[in-house]
Amino acid sequence: MSRLIHSNSGHIRSMQISNTQLFIFVEGKQSDPYFFAKVCKASLPDSIEFEISTAQQISGGAGGKEALISYFRCLRRKSALISFFEGKRTACIFILDKDIDDIKRKQLRSTHVIYTQYYDVQNYIFEHGDLVTGVAAAASIDPRKLHGVLGNSSEWCRRVSHLWRDWIALCFRLIEDGIRGEANYGAPSRIQTRNCGMTDTIALESLVRTLAQRTNISFDEMMRKVELSNKKIDRYFKTGQHHRIFKGKWFSLILADEVERIMTGQPHDCNGLAGRLPSTVAATINFNDPWIEYFKHRLCAVAAML
């Protein structure tokens, strides 16, 4: 069944004649609709009718953050972020992954735009979900085999994100120098011994040499630059802010590989495991825990305009 896609004007019209009061636009289709539907249900008064739409449902169906930003700007130009039509008031909210937009200083400023505090939605899923229950369901494993191995989800996130510290530093370095290369947030680490393993120092040195040659500087100078980035990364870790700089979508790759390591030689369902983990872990989240207050405050601020 094909999805319904409207032109910008058509979408505005459809919102005006809908019974829905609050329209929530989210980036992705894998985790975002479920996660933010649960966030909104836990945050908004029962009297508010809301609807979750993905970026792919906007004109063109390309999806992603840029589609949402373009539509937000369209609504802002038309003064349609809050609309009053035939006695009914509607409002729009755009929820965007922070990514590293704060570091690049390119975040939009509007009551109608909510950025995640963490890098993306999946940071919340793996930080606040029950890893043991989610993994056991996704991989068809007796949960008792995982207790004491995966540990507390928050501690697990901190531990494994630190394993990729050198990769994050390389990504930061290239961003700061305006270089497009192999080390970027769009790709998983290429310098780990395995996804759940430590840095492969030989792979790290080889990649740094490649980057140095590409930018016409010496290997030693590039290493000095990377070390400066490492110091910045360490400040995030020391203050417990690793989720701001670690891409949440990487967690499922690491967790799936860790399950492979734990279950070596034992029966389990490993096919497509990394792709299933965000959904099964998300289903274990308590959406009444204190972390939701960040979203609740911002959602209710717009809902109060209705």
Side-chain angles (χ1 to χ4, degrees), residues 15 20-25 49-51 75 80-84 88-94 112 299 301-306:
M15 290 191 294
T20 303
Q21 300 163 279
L22 188 59
F23 293 87
I24 315 290
F25 296 94
E49 290 290 334
F50 68 87
E51 178 181 307
L75 294 182
L81 291 167
I82 294 283
S83 177
F84 190 74
K88 182 177 78 78
R89 191 182 296 271
T90 59
C92 297
I93 297 176
F94 294 79
H112 296 269
L299 289 166
V302 178
M305 301 176 188
L306 295 171

Side-chain angles (χ1 to χ4, degrees), residues 37-38 43 64 87 92 103 155 175 182 228 246 274:
K38 297 288 284 186
S43 301
C92 297
I103 295 168
E155 293 173 358
I175 290 168
E182 293 87 344
L228 288 175
F246 187 89

Side-chain angles (χ1 to χ4, degrees), residues 22 29 36 69 98 126 139 142 151 181 190 199 238 242 305:
L22 188 59
K29 64 180 182 178
F36 286 115
I69 291 175
K98 180 187 75 66
F126 289 97
D142 182 341
R190 301 181 182 185
T199 297
K238 288 176 181 177
H242 46 287
M305 301 176 188

Side-chain angles (χ1 to χ4, degrees), residues 128-162:
H128 301 295
D130 181 336
L131 294 186
V132 170
T133 300
V135 168
S140 192
I141 298 172
D142 182 341
R144 294 174 298 179
K145 294 181 180 293
L146 303 172
H147 281 297
V149 182
L150 293 180
N152 173 274
S153 61
S154 183
E155 293 173 358
W156 181 86
C157 286
R158 177 187 286 272
R159 175 177 63 82
V160 302
S161 59
H162 196 271

Side-chain angles (χ1 to χ4, degrees), residues 95-222:
I95 305 181
L96 305 177
D97 288 338
K98 180 187 75 66
D99 299 331
I100 52 170
D101 289 356
D102 55 337
I103 295 168
K104 290 182 174 181
R105 298 183 179 179
K106 55 180 289 188
Q107 288 183 318
L108 299 170
R109 295 184 179 274
S110 171
T111 304
H112 296 269
V113 177
I114 301 174
Y115 283 94
T116 57
Q117 290 173 292
Y118 300 160
Y119 189 96
D120 61 33
V121 169
Q122 292 195 24
N123 292 86
Y124 290 90
I125 290 173
F126 289 97
E127 172 72 15
H128 301 295
D130 181 336
L131 294 186
V132 170
T133 300
V135 168
S140 192
I141 298 172
D142 182 341
R144 294 174 298 179
K145 294 181 180 293
L146 303 172
H147 281 297
V149 182
L150 293 180
N152 173 274
S153 61
S154 183
E155 293 173 358
W156 181 86
C157 286
R158 177 187 286 272
R159 175 177 63 82
V160 302
S161 59
H162 196 271
L163 290 174
W164 285 30
R165 168 183 173 272
D166 292 315
W167 178 252
I168 300 171
L170 284 174
C171 293
F172 253 60
R173 186 70 261 156
L174 267 62
I175 290 168
E176 291 178 323
D177 288 349
I179 301 169
R180 301 184 69 174
E182 293 87 344
N184 62 81
Y185 273 101
S189 175
R190 301 181 182 185
I191 59 170
Q192 308 305 124
T193 54
R194 58 185 295 175
N195 282 336
C196 68
M198 303 289 289
T199 297
D200 181 331
T201 55
I202 295 176
L204 171 61
E205 180 178 323
S206 176
L207 182 52
V208 171
R209 287 191 184 280
T210 298
L211 295 173
Q213 290 171 0
R214 183 173 300 163
T215 53
N216 295 315
I217 64 174
S218 69
F219 171 77
D220 290 341
E221 176 62 13
M222 179 57 79

Side-chain angles (χ1 to χ4, degrees), residues 2-7 11 25-30 33 52-68 71:
S2 61
R3 62 180 181 269
L4 181 63
I5 299 173
H6 296 285
S7 66
H11 205 290
F25 296 94
V26 299
E27 283 189 45
K29 64 180 182 178
Q30 182 184 27
I52 306 290
S53 296
T54 67
Q56 289 181 311
Q57 293 171 266
I58 297 173
S59 178
K65 178 182 285 186
E66 292 308 312
L68 288 189
Y71 190 49

